[in-house]
Structure formats: C-alpha cells, structure tokens
Amino acid sequence: MSTLSYETAGESCSEVFVWNPKSLSYDRTAKGCFTRYGDKWTIQDSLAEGNQTFIYWENWLRGANGVWQPYRHGWCNNNLGAPNWGACNKDYYESSSTNYYEGQGSRVRFQTCRRDLLNTSCTPSDISAAPWINNNA
C-alpha cells in the first residue's frame, strides 16, 4: 500500500494506492479530503471490490496553558460504492476563536481507511503519523 498526501487551495487530501500485479501499476483505492472552509470531509471509494471506505479523524484544541489536548474524534463513512463520493459536514473551532479549553488553537488529522469483512487498513497505519492541519478557514 502506498499513500500520496498533499494540500491545495485550502484542502488537504490523502490518496491510497495498492499494487496491481496484472497491470504492473498502482491502483487508487480511496481518496479522502478535508476542506477547512466549511469543515467538510469528502471520501471517495475508488476501487469497486465491495469494501467500505471511510475517514477516521481527530480534533485537538490548545488549552489556555498552551498544551494541545484531544477534544473530539469520529468517522466519515462512504457506503455508496465506487466511484462515488461521500461527504460529512462538521463544525470545528477555528484556530483564532476561544475554544472549549479556554485557549486558542484547533487542529485536525485523519486517516483514509478501507474495511472488508476481516480487517481494516488505514493510511497512515497509525493516526499519530498523520500530519496536523490547522483549522483556520
């Protein structure tokens, strides 16, 4: 499995690829994106093999003492099948607003995942390896 992560025009995306030995190339299996303006997640199932595609996300806030703390986490599921896009609309604190912990600062990170009957695989495999995205629209 291979991943391509990038940011463009206020959107952070992660694409997941698997090796296809028949074509001797990589096939994209999923694409997940976060759009800061509107706090919107989009997830595409890119491979029609029956597995579910979803995003797992975390939202951390910086407290008044300057320490980052976990605040919320969740999933954005796409049960629509390939090649369709699913979407989830969230409402996160902006980095410039006073948050639940009475500090300023809000960030998110995410994994793009696929689930079959036996297991779940996510990229990156550990959420702690995912890059942070400042939530400032």
Side-chain angles (χ1 to χ4, degrees), residues 3-67:
T3 304
L4 171 66
S5 296
Y6 55 91
E7 184 162 336
T8 178
E11 186 173 71
S12 297
C13 297
S14 174
E15 298 184 42
V16 181
F17 298 87
V18 295
W19 179 251
N20 181 336
K22 291 181 183 176
S23 66
L24 299 177
S25 64
Y26 282 92
D27 291 338
R28 187 171 76 186
T29 62
K31 180 178 179 179
C33 297
F34 174 69
T35 305
R36 283 189 295 276
Y37 182 76
D39 298 339
K40 182 179 176 183
W41 295 100
T42 52
I43 179 77
Q44 182 187 36
D45 185 343
S46 306
L47 189 63
E49 90 291 35
N51 292 347
Q52 181 193 34
T53 303
F54 66 98
I55 288 172
Y56 172 74
W57 57 265
E58 291 183 346
N59 175 216
W60 288 46
L61 303 176
R62 187 170 42 219
N65 60 0
V67 176

Side-chain angles (χ1 to χ4, degrees), residues 58-62 68-71 105-109 132:
E58 291 183 346
N59 175 216
W60 288 46
L61 303 176
R62 187 170 42 219
W68 288 96
Q69 302 173 62
Y71 178 61
S106 177
R107 62 187 185 179
V108 296
R109 61 183 172 187
W132 286 109

Side-chain angles (χ1 to χ4, degrees), residues 95-112:
S95 287
S96 58
S97 62
T98 301
N99 62 43
Y100 178 80
Y101 299 125
E102 299 184 8
Q104 290 186 335
S106 177
R107 62 187 185 179
V108 296
R109 61 183 172 187
F110 72 99
Q111 296 168 286
T112 303

Side-chain angles (χ1 to χ4, degrees), residues 2 12 24 30 32 35 40 68-69 82-84 91 93-94 123 126 137:
S2 178
S12 297
L24 299 177
T35 305
K40 182 179 176 183
W68 288 96
Q69 302 173 62
N84 298 303
D91 189 15
Y93 283 102
E94 303 299 325
T123 303
D126 184 344

